[in-house]
């Protein structure tokens, strides 16, 4: 099981993440890279993303990476990295 398996709502096609816009892929890669560098743990990340999704109005999943980016901005900010 990979850390990404812990996020079941991530848009996927044949098990792989799906990105509609280039910025989505960049935000995704940045979060994974920062985790791999030890900036935050995967449980920290999952909690931050979960808070963003829970606080947002219900949608059809088309705003998933907006939540991803918002969670990333807040988590990196809370770590004093921006």
């Amino acid at each position: 099981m990979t850390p990404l398996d812990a996020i079941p709502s991530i848009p996927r096609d044949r098990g792989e993440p799906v990105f509609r816009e280039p910025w989505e892929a960049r935000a995704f890669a940045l979060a994974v890279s920062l985790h791999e560098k030890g900036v935050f743990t995967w449980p920290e990340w999952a909690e931050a993303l979960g808070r963003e999704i829970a606080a947002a109005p219900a949608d059809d999943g088309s705003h998933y990476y907006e939540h991803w980016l918002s969670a990333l901005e807040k988590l990196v900010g809370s770590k004093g990295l921006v």
Side-chain angles (χ1 to χ4, degrees), residues 50-76:
R51 278 193 306 270
E52 288 301 310
I53 292 170
D59 68 57
D60 61 0
S62 62
H63 299 280
Y64 181 80
Y65 286 107
E66 291 172 31
H67 306 314
W68 184 282
L69 182 58
S70 182
L72 183 59
E73 290 171 343
K74 289 177 182 174
L75 187 55
V76 170

Side-chain angles (χ1 to χ4, degrees), residues 8-71:
S9 60
I10 192 168
R12 296 176 188 263
D13 182 21
R14 295 185 188 104
E16 296 298 318
V18 174
F19 309 105
R20 286 186 262 173
E21 300 288 336
W23 72 264
E24 295 175 342
R26 288 191 293 269
F28 178 89
L30 184 56
V32 172
S33 178
L34 290 172
H35 159 68
E36 289 173 346
K37 290 180 182 348
V39 172
F40 49 77
T41 66
W42 203 253
E44 278 182 291
W45 168 249
E47 185 177 321
L49 179 57
R51 278 193 306 270
E52 288 301 310
I53 292 170
D59 68 57
D60 61 0
S62 62
H63 299 280
Y64 181 80
Y65 286 107
E66 291 172 31
H67 306 314
W68 184 282
L69 182 58
S70 182

